[in-house]
């Protein structure tokens, strides 16, 4: 069976929402997708024609009838592999597809049309199984790339609105983006102000203030403000489209084992043809009868062909890619799935990788005018009507401290600046440090707050200034917190690889050590610039380790490229990190990392088992044919049966239970 290269045809026009599948797809939808596959349709037709021919033959029907049905089976199941084989022959390569077709025709030429039709049916079924594995993988990738909305609101020159497909947006179209909407195109803001969550594109942990002149990206989420923006990139050139194109290109890569088998296949196929000609020509030259000699030669060609060997590698790897995709891990190619099994050490970035990128209250600095708890209570009251992540963090912290959040009146929110409201009769403002710029006359409190802001920002944390009746009263310190799965993931990876993961971060040593202790990591390297991370990865590799690096930001991209394998965080990962990485944790679930490594090792074991099965069948059947009298039907059933066994064995990894066992 010739190997089919995995091509994922995912274009910008197909980026419509699709649910991420976490279990088995619904039956009718799954059957419809499989029936859409050409290989499945023709294999089904060929099988039906073969069954009808068999019934007609068993019932002693007219020979012309069952011969016609069998020959129709030949045409239905054999035209695609015959065409593929002729194309390969035109390029001066001998394809296994062509060997099978020649063997089937040879069987019919000596009156064994049933045996030839059986060969065609089993051969077509094997091809359909491989196509199903490929389609399941493609479905998983499409489901995971649900990043852009299907529709957008376009403004017409007369001011009217129309709802259009995002794929139909053109450069210079003006779109309206309402609060809470996902942005449909890469565009430049013309009017309005809002905070946009663009973590899926840039990896920034907090929403970014957008006003006139700023760029917004397709697939990012608008905040509470309304925007009017002009499209400045066609759908096919947007950031999301480039990510999809990258996945499509990478998914066509074949595993190293498969490439080796293809090289062997070419030489082996030539050897099979030469041996077949010898088995046919030499006995005829010494007076053997034509029909039994041709029958033995055709049987040899069938049983010696490397169909099962060729099919041994890709189905297990494609199946593993598909089941990983259904569970939130996008593995970009069979090469990556194969190499995941070799991982001996995992290295983590810190911010957005081991941490969530979601802020939580980490401390409060006050000027002494209001105590910390009262300051938090007032700030939570002012922030309570807001949906901004910083506001959510402040309100959550107040409730965790058991505070009753007071009601707010005269609420006002300015995107990119902050909020203000009347709380307990006081005008409370909570926002970015630029709130201090409103203090025209310096005073002691303002200077103290500025120093606190400087210290907080120097430590890599977020400073939120609180003023009461126009006077600075304190700074709320917000910081990332460790992901819930981080410690368990580190423990699992240590058991799986035999080495404790390491931490590579640009943060200060104190913050890095604190997080590493929480995660169970003992080897920490802090204060690293991007080039330093690359050097550290290379140092680890010189020690004989196969390094898998997990990161999310632009600064991680060089190290992701340098590592043996790079894994990006899907929700927080930057565009560059997603492009560079070999795999993506789509839901940012670190616990999926040891699961996919273990799945890769299972896939490798299945590949080895398949190769042993295929080799054993070939040796036994060829030996039987050369030194005994192997009947052609038994040879067809044995050889093509081994192909089906190998294919089905690889497809076992498509079952959800394969992932559950690894997870």
């Amino acid at each position: 069976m010739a190997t089919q290269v995995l091509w994922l045809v995912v274009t910008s026009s197909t980026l419509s929402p699709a649910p991420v599948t976490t279990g088995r797809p619904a039956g009718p939808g799954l059957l419809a997708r499989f029936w859409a596959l050409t290989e499945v349709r023709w294999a089904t037709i060929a099988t039906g024609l073969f069954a009808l021919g068999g019934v007609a033959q068993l019932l002693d029907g007219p020979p012309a009838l069952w011969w016609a049905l069998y020959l129709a089976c030949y045409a239905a199941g054999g035209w695609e592999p015959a065409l593929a084989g002729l194309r390969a022959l035109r390029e001066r390569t001998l394809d296994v597809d062509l060997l099978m077709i020649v063997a089937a025709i040879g069987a019919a030429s000596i009156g064994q049309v049933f045996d030839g039709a059986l060969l065609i049916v089993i051969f077509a079924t094997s091809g359909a199984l491989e196509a199903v594995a490929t389609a399941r993988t493609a479905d998983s990738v499409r489901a995971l790339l649900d990043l852009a909305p299907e529709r957008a609101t376009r403004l017409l020159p007369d001011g009217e609105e129309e709802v259009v497909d995002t794929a139909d947006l053109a450069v210079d179209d003006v779109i309206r983006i309402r609060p809470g909407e996902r942005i449909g195109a890469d565009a430049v803001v013309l009017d309005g102000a809002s905070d946009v969550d663009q973590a899926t594109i840039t990896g920034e942990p907090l929403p970014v203030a957008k006003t006139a002149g700023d760029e917004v990206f397709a697939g990012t989420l608008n905040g509470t403000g309304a925007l009017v923006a002009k499209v400045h990139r066609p759908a096919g050139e947007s950031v999301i489209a480039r990510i999809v194109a990258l996945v499509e290109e990478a998914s066509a890569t074949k595993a190293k084992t498969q490439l080796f088998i293809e090289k062997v296949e070419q030489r082996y196929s030539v050897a099979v043809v030469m041996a077949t000609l010898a088995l046919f020509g030499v006995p005829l030259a010494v007076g053997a009868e034509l029909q039994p000699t041709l029958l033995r030669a055709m049987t040899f060609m069938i049983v010696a062909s490397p169909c099962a060997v060729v099919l041994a590698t890709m189905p297990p790897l494609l199946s593993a890619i598909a089941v990983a995709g259904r569970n939130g891990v996008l593995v970009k190619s069979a090469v990556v799935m194969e190499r995941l099994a070799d991982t001996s050490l995992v290295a983590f970035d810190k911010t957005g990788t081991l941490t969530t990128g979601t802020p939580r209250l980490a401390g409060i600095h006050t000027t002494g005018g209001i105590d910390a708890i009262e300051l938090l209570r007032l700030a939570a009251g002012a922030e309570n009507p807001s949906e901004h992540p910083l506001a959510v963090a402040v309100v959550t912290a107040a409730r965790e401290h058991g505070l009753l959040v007071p009601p707010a009146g005269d609420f006002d929110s300015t995107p990119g600046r902050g909020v203000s409201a009347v709380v307990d009769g006081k005008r409370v403002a909570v926002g970015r440090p630029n709130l201090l710029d409103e203090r025209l006359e310096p005073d002691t409190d303002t200077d103290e707050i500025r120093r606190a802001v400087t210290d907080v920002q120097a430590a890599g944390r977020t400073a939120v200034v609180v003023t009461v009746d126009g006077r600075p009263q304190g700074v709320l310190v917000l910081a990332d917190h460790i992901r819930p799965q981080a410690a368990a993931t580190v423990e699992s990876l240590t058991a799986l690889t035999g080495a404790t993961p390491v931490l590579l971060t640009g943060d200060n040593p104190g913050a890095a050590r604190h997080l590493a202790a929480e995660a169970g990591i003992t080897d920490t390297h802090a204060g690293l610039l991007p080039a330093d991370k690359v050097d550290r990865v290379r140092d680890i590799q010189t020690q004989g380790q196969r390094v898998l690096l997990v990161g999310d930001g632009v600064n991680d991209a060089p190290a992701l490229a340098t590592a043996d394998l790079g894994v990006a965080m899907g929700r927080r990962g930057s565009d560059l990190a997603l492009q560079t990485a070999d795999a993506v944790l789509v839901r940012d679930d670190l616990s999926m990392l040891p699961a996919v490594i273990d799945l890769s090792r299972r896939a490798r074991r299945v590949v080895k088992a398949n190769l042993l099965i295929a080799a054993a069948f070939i040796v036994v059947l060829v030996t039987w044919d050369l030194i005994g009298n192997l009947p052609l039907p038994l040879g067809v059933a044995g050889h093509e049966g081994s192909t089906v066994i190998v294919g089905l064995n690889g497809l076992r990894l498509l079952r959800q239970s394969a992932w559950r066992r690894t997870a």
Side-chain angles (χ1 to χ4, degrees):
M1 175 76 192
T3 303
Q4 299 172 347
V5 181
L6 171 63
W7 289 100
L8 300 181
V9 184
V10 185
T11 64
S12 59
S13 62
T14 64
L15 288 174
S16 57
V20 176
T21 305
T22 56
R24 294 186 179 183
L30 184 63
L31 292 175
R33 288 198 298 275
F34 288 167
W35 184 249
L37 299 173
T38 303
E39 295 87 350
V40 172
R41 290 201 304 272
W42 285 112
T44 303
I45 294 171
T47 302
L49 290 168
F50 176 76
L52 291 174
V55 170
Q57 187 175 8
L58 287 174
L59 296 178
D60 292 326
L65 174 61
W66 47 266
W67 262 84
L69 290 170
Y70 286 143
L71 292 178
C73 170
Y74 270 61
W79 74 269
E80 279 193 311
L83 184 61
L86 291 173
R87 286 173 177 166
L89 194 62
R90 189 170 56 189
E91 297 173 1
R92 299 184 179 181
T93 59
L94 189 60
D95 200 293
V96 176
D97 293 24
L98 194 58
L99 290 183
M100 290 297 97
I101 297 301
V102 169
I105 293 174
S109 69
I110 58 176
Q112 304 287 339
V113 67
F114 171 86
D115 303 320
L118 176 63
L119 174 62
I120 291 292
V121 166
I122 299 178
F123 190 60
T125 302
S126 300
L129 289 174
E130 186 175 0
V132 167
T134 303
R136 289 288 294 272
T137 306
D139 286 346
S140 297
V141 173
R142 290 188 182 98
L144 294 173
L145 291 176
D146 178 21
L147 297 177
E150 187 177 7
R151 312 279 279 174
T153 301
R154 180 164 60 191
L155 295 181
L156 301 176
D158 59 5
E160 293 294 319
E161 297 181 358
E162 64 174 352
V163 178
V164 298
D165 292 339
T166 52
D168 294 334
L169 291 175
V171 174
D172 293 334
D173 279 351
V174 178
I175 59 176
R176 186 185 300 281
I177 307 162
R178 292 184 168 85
E181 282 188 346
R182 198 164 286 277
I183 298 171
D186 288 4
V188 175
V189 176
L190 298 178
D191 187 31
S194 185
D195 290 326
V196 176
D197 181 358
Q198 52 188 36
T200 54
I201 302 298
T202 66
E204 294 168 278
L206 296 175
V208 179
K210 299 291 184 180
T211 57
D214 293 330
E215 182 180 18
V216 292
F217 301 105
T220 58
L221 186 63
N222 187 28
T224 57
L227 299 173
V228 174
K230 178 184 287 189
V231 177
H232 74 120
R233 286 196 194 98
E237 297 178 11
S238 68
V239 173
I240 290 178
R242 293 201 300 271
I243 293 174
V244 175
L246 175 73
V247 174
E248 178 183 303
E249 178 183 353
S251 297
T253 309
K254 288 181 268 184
K256 293 181 180 178
T257 305
Q258 182 66 25
L259 294 175
F260 170 76
I261 287 176
E262 286 188 346
K263 294 177 183 177
V264 172
E265 176 193 343
Q266 294 298 317
R267 299 184 179 91
Y268 184 83
S269 297
V270 172
V272 168
V273 170
M274 298 301 294
T276 301
L277 292 175
L279 280 174
F280 179 65
V282 173
L284 284 181
V286 296
E289 295 183 10
L290 173 63
Q291 182 163 333
T293 302
L294 180 59
L295 183 61
R296 180 185 292 270
M298 289 297 100
T299 303
F300 174 83
M301 175 181 286
I302 292 170
V303 300
S305 295
C307 302
V309 175
V310 173
L311 201 63
T313 302
M314 287 303 282
L317 295 176
L318 295 180
S319 299
I321 291 174
V323 76
R326 292 202 307 269
N327 288 277
V329 183
L330 174 57
V331 180
K332 293 184 179 179
S333 72
V335 170
V336 175
M337 180 55 74
E338 183 186 45
R339 289 168 56 197
L340 279 167
D342 296 324
T343 301
S344 61
L345 180 70
V346 177
F348 286 102
D349 170 52
K350 173 182 170 288
T351 306
T353 302
L354 284 177
T355 64
T356 63
T358 302
R360 295 188 66 181
L361 186 68
I364 302 175
H365 293 280
T366 69
T367 61
I370 299 178
D371 65 53
I373 294 299
E374 177 64 10
L375 185 71
L376 177 59
R377 190 182 73 88
L378 293 174
E383 291 276 29
N384 196 30
S386 174
E387 297 178 354
H388 194 282
L390 291 180
V392 173
V394 172
V395 174
T396 301
R399 288 174 175 160
E400 288 176 350
H401 281 77
L403 301 177
L404 182 62
V405 178
D410 193 20
F411 176 80
D412 180 63
S413 175
T414 305
R417 192 168 186 82
V419 303
S420 68
V422 175
V423 182
D424 290 350
K426 305 179 181 69
R427 171 59 67 174
V428 180
V430 185
R432 302 176 188 272
N434 57 15
L435 278 178
L436 297 173
D437 297 337
E438 297 176 358
R439 298 288 295 172
L440 300 180
E441 297 181 3
D443 55 37
T444 303
D445 289 347
T446 303
D447 292 341
E448 183 179 346
I449 293 297
R450 289 188 188 278
R451 286 193 296 270
V453 167
T454 300
D455 293 341
V456 169
Q457 293 178 335
R461 297 182 170 186
T462 300
V464 175
V465 173
V466 182
T467 69
V468 179
D469 290 332
R471 187 176 187 84
Q473 294 292 345
V475 176
L476 304 181
V477 182
L478 293 105
D480 270 358
H481 62 288
I482 191 169
R483 292 185 184 276
Q485 327 94 325
T489 298
V490 168
E491 183 179 356
S492 297
L493 289 171
T494 302
L496 194 62
T497 64
T500 303
V502 301
L503 179 63
L504 308 179
T505 178
D507 282 359
N508 63 78
R513 284 193 299 268
H514 177 74
L515 178 79
E518 288 189 80
I521 295 175
T522 55
D523 191 0
T524 303
H525 304 269
L528 301 179
L529 297 174
D532 299 326
K533 287 188 179 182
V534 170
D535 292 339
R536 186 56 198 153
V537 168
R538 287 175 176 163
D539 289 342
I540 298 172
Q541 289 172 325
T542 58
Q543 299 169 17
Q545 300 280 16
R546 302 278 292 181
V547 181
L548 184 153
L549 177 70
V550 189
D552 73 308
V554 172
N555 62 327
D556 298 319
L560 287 170
T562 303
D564 297 284
L565 285 170
V567 177
M569 308 298 284
R571 290 180 177 170
R572 295 288 177 182
S574 69
D575 182 26
L576 188 56
L578 288 170
Q579 290 186 34
T580 307
D582 301 292
V584 178
L585 300 178
V586 177
R587 304 185 191 103
D588 290 0
D589 187 348
L590 290 176
S591 66
M592 298 296 99
L593 190 59
V596 75
I597 293 174
D598 198 27
L599 179 66
S600 172
R601 294 181 178 182
R602 290 194 63 215
R604 174 172 289 182
R605 291 195 293 270
V606 172
V607 168
K608 290 180 178 178
N610 279 350
L611 291 173
L612 288 175
I613 292 171
F617 269 87
I618 289 176
V619 169
V620 170
L621 294 174
V622 166
T623 302
W624 189 350
D625 186 57
L626 291 178
I627 66 177
N629 184 22
L630 175 63
L632 179 59
L634 188 58
V636 170
H639 181 262
E640 291 304 310
S642 70
T643 303
V644 172
I645 290 172
V646 165
L648 290 175
N649 191 41
L651 293 180
R652 285 190 305 113
L653 294 179
L654 278 173
R655 297 180 301 178
Q656 185 63 24
S657 59
W659 182 264
R660 291 194 185 102
R661 281 197 291 270
T662 63

